[in-house]
Amino acid sequence: MLTVGLLGAIACASAATVDVVEGNPSAAVKVTIYGDLQCNYCQTLRTMLDEKLLPRYGKQVAFVHRDLPLGRHDWARTGAMVGRWVYEQSPRAGIIFQRELLDEQEHITAATLKPWLVEFAVRNKLDEHGIVAAMTDPQLGVMVDQDVQVATVRGIKKIPTVIVAGKTFAETIVYDDIARVLDQTLAH
């Protein structure tokens, strides 16, 4: 059971972040997704979101993204920080950033991340200096770390983790399982 102090810390952490949301941000039904931009399973979930979940549920559900970069991934935390910055500049560009970085993760290293980010900024008409500065911005680091802390308190250790109506799905996410819970939740 969570203590009142711990619940307060979670509420403060959540309030301090800019929510990265797809679908209907004001929907009563929310799906929380913990992910890592350097994760193959997260790429599979991203494809499922784009091809199945958002087309079917996007008008009725808010898909809220949370960062959970794993320590073994050498550039995932930096990617998450930059992703926050890009989303603040333009929510649309933030989602494009997530899609493209997940698509390219196999070809990106800690050494090639910065040039990739600059090229992304140029293609998407974002400030090149701003995107580079985001790589080390302490405030963005705090936002990512808050997501990690909340995930830790919730006992989330695997990515991706998807939480729908109190039910948790981790690592290998099956569309039919998520759809079944969403259909039941939306029916009530």
Side-chain angles (χ1 to χ4, degrees):
M1 180 123 188
L2 297 175
T3 65
V4 173
L6 214 42
L7 288 172
I10 290 171
C12 288
S14 296
T17 64
V18 173
D19 283 337
V20 176
V21 179
E22 291 184 90
N24 180 352
S26 60
V29 176
K30 303 214 182 303
V31 173
T32 304
I33 301 168
Y34 283 91
D36 175 322
L37 294 170
Q38 201 173 344
C39 163
N40 291 334
Y41 292 125
C42 296
Q43 168 54 33
T44 301
L45 177 61
R46 175 77 253 170
T47 300
M48 182 189 308
L49 271 167
D50 290 337
E51 293 177 2
K52 296 180 178 181
L53 291 169
L54 287 166
R56 182 168 175 186
Y57 299 105
K59 292 183 177 158
Q60 305 169 67
V61 176
F63 293 89
V64 182
H65 295 275
R66 297 280 183 240
D67 295 306
L68 186 54
L70 300 181
R72 70 177 182 261
H73 292 155
D74 58 353
W75 57 261
R77 183 174 182 275
T78 302
M81 291 166 57
V82 174
R84 296 287 185 131
W85 180 85
V86 172
Y87 191 84
E88 288 177 356
Q89 308 311 300
S90 160
R92 182 180 169 280
I95 300 306
I96 291 169
F97 176 84
Q98 185 184 85
R99 283 184 186 121
E100 289 187 14
L101 193 53
L102 282 165
D103 279 344
E104 292 293 320
Q105 65 179 296
E106 296 293 321
H107 308 290
I108 296 174
T109 65
T112 63
L113 180 63
K114 183 177 177 180
W116 187 91
L117 294 172
V118 170
E119 192 271 329
F120 178 87
V122 169
R123 278 189 295 110
N124 290 279
K125 298 177 177 48
L126 298 169
D127 178 42
E128 295 170 51
H129 299 291
I131 205 165
V132 171
M135 295 175 71
T136 56
D137 184 300
Q139 186 65 26
L140 294 169
V142 166
M143 293 169 74
V144 171
D145 293 344
Q146 287 173 338
D147 277 1
V148 172
Q149 290 167 0
V150 172
T152 301
V153 168
R154 295 178 95 174
I156 298 168
K157 297 177 184 167
K158 297 179 180 182
I159 53 167
T161 291
V162 178
I163 304 167
V164 186
K167 293 185 180 13
T168 301
F169 304 91
E171 276 187 308
T172 305
I173 311 298
V174 177
Y175 170 77
D176 290 338
D177 295 340
I178 301 289
R180 184 174 24 265
V181 175
L182 281 172
D183 289 341
Q184 291 169 352
T185 303
L186 291 167
H188 290 101

